[in-house]
Amino acid sequence: MTLLVTNIKELLQVREQNILKVSGSEMKELPTIKNAWLLIENDKIADFGTMKNMPKITADQTIDATGKIVLPTWCDSHTHIVYAGNREQEFADRINGLSYEEIANRGGGILNSVKTLQDTSEEEVYEQSAKRLKEVMKLGTGAVEIKSGYGLTEKAELKMLRVIKKLRENYDLPVKSTFLGAHAIPKEYKNDPDAYMDLVINEILPKVAKEGLAEYIDIFCEKGYFSIKDTHRLLSAAKEHGLKPKIHVNQFNSIGGVKVGVEHEALSVDHLEVMNDEDIEVLKGTRTMPVALPSCSLFLSIPYTPARKILDAELPLALATDFNPGSTPSGNMNLVVSLACIKMKMTPEEAINAATINGAYAMDLSETHGSITKGKMANFMITKEIPSFTFLPYAFGTNSIDSVYINGKLI
């Protein structure tokens, strides 16, 4: 099956030679071809170039993309798509003046989602999660990471991870799985958090590894949740089981989580709303990808990740949604790219790089996804007729995506 897209107004993120990620000042450059064509053979990118120099090609299907832009699908490297129910009542409570702590004390917060997840059948959790996954695919997401973390018991965590596995089996896009048993301390362990860490490390983690249910390990390293000591302990244990770290750090406080992540060779450190000079320095020269989650900052009215500080230090940066029921009930990567430009002062070029090739890197996917490169998977999207790629983040409330292709097939 061959698919030819012609008369493309501009083909974005074109990399003749594949790269794994872009950092610092490199992120200002987004390679493009104007008035372009793109050839797909089966599920891979076969060739591309300018219309002026297009050879004679016989394709099974030809699409005229006059006035439209083509770019790789978004790579969303941090989500909690698998959950049950919603928490819209807490949203109203916050507007009415209740603090996060007050809501938590009334049984809200993460533990609210935990109870709902535990009380919902695996089949129902799958159906709700599949609906969300289909929604974000239509918005242009072509690779996604999904975490557990709303189970907090062996039974419920394994249930979540089985749902993630089923999503990976039933949908064509890459779905990466992360075990986040250390997301919050269950109320029954409130007075003995070490006992909960024992459960996660000694009981749940070996089963996750044995059943091959996760590639990554995560922990919420933050005051009131899990300490630096907890993080060292869990990541060391996870390494023995072959799980690579991708961790929540620096959302509300800088307590040394970035340093711990780097010491354990984390693939990514995520959130980073609060970053000091030491956090920046410790990331230099490492293979760890900083990941910003601006729609979480929008929803919680907390600071945004200091993108300019990170990029001016010649570090890379990826963008992701943090899609979850409590702090980011949205998986719209188009909004994330807009917020990066509007609130984090990233240029459109930087934001698109962060949401494609660097997002792919944060899921170990940049060899196969995240750019228009010959031999990579044909995960791309075609916009509606728009004046330029800057219009994508500029028109923040408009869905400018016309069609999305995963493995060369229209979804």
Side-chain angles (χ1 to χ4, degrees), residues 9 43 67 156 188 223 232 248 286 339:
K9 183 170 187 167
D43 58 355
E188 56 268 33
K223 285 181 183 176
H232 271 303
H248 286 64
T286 74
L339 288 170

Side-chain angles (χ1 to χ4, degrees), residues 195-363:
Y196 181 63
M197 285 304 293
D198 290 341
L199 174 73
V200 171
I201 291 169
N202 300 325
E203 303 295 331
I204 311 177
L205 178 59
K207 289 187 174 67
V208 170
K210 185 181 178 185
E211 293 184 37
L213 291 173
E215 295 158 83
Y216 305 114
I217 186 76
D218 196 352
I219 184 170
F220 189 13
C221 179
E222 182 58 77
K223 285 181 183 176
Y225 290 86
F226 296 95
S227 67
I228 294 296
K229 179 186 167 191
D230 293 331
T231 305
H232 271 303
R233 198 179 153 209
L234 178 64
L235 300 190
S236 298
K239 186 175 183 179
E240 292 178 22
H241 290 285
L243 271 63
K244 193 183 289 190
K246 279 174 66 66
I247 62 173
H248 286 64
V249 295
N250 292 48
Q251 183 174 3
F252 303 111
N253 301 278
S254 175
I255 61 170
V258 173
K259 188 166 184 277
V260 177
V262 167
E263 287 172 359
H264 288 270
E265 299 181 315
L267 179 59
S268 70
V269 285
D270 302 23
H271 270 293
L272 312 180
E273 288 87 345
V274 179
M275 290 286 277
N276 60 31
D277 292 342
E278 186 185 346
D279 295 321
I280 298 286
E281 283 301 315
V282 82
L283 282 165
K284 290 181 178 178
T286 74
R287 292 198 293 266
T288 300
M289 176 65 71
V291 178
L293 311 168
S295 44
C296 176
S297 297
L298 173 72
F299 194 75
L300 292 183
S301 300
I302 61 174
Y304 286 81
T305 302
R308 291 265 51 98
K309 188 174 181 179
I310 292 168
L311 297 177
D312 291 346
E314 290 301 312
L315 293 170
L317 185 63
L319 292 167
T321 63
D322 195 23
F323 192 179
N324 76 79
S327 63
T328 324
S330 167
N332 188 347
M333 279 292 287
N334 303 285
L335 174 62
V336 167
V337 170
S338 290
L339 288 170
C341 296
I342 298 163
K343 294 293 189 179
M344 292 161 57
K345 300 294 182 275
M346 293 175 74
T347 66
E349 291 87 349
E350 289 170 334
I352 292 170
N353 275 320
T356 54
I357 191 66
N358 283 2
Y361 179 92
M363 294 183 278

Side-chain angles (χ1 to χ4, degrees), residues 1 3 5 38-47 70-73 142 172-174 368-381 403-411:
M1 176 68 186
L3 170 66
V5 187
L38 174 67
L39 179 66
I40 307 301
E41 289 182 355
N42 298 318
D43 58 355
K44 304 260 192 342
I45 296 167
D47 208 353
V70 174
L71 68 160
T73 47
D172 287 336
L173 81 170
T368 54
H369 295 77
S371 67
I372 301 296
T373 302
K374 291 172 194 173
K376 279 196 171 186
M377 300 304 293
N379 288 18
F380 65 96
M381 50 188 162
S403 52
V404 179
Y405 290 78
I406 303 293
N407 299 345
K409 292 184 288 192
L410 177 67
I411 64 159

Side-chain angles (χ1 to χ4, degrees), residues 103 109-110 112 130 149 176 178 180 197 232 241 410:
I103 290 168
I110 291 171
N112 179 0
K176 295 284 190 160
T178 300
L180 178 56
M197 285 304 293
H232 271 303
H241 290 285
L410 177 67

Side-chain angles (χ1 to χ4, degrees), residues 86-103:
N86 285 291
R87 284 170 30 204
E88 69 272 20
Q89 185 53 50
E90 292 177 21
F91 173 66
D93 289 342
R94 274 213 329 274
I95 293 167
N96 286 319
L98 289 184
S99 70
Y100 191 84
E101 290 74 21
E102 287 170 326
I103 290 168

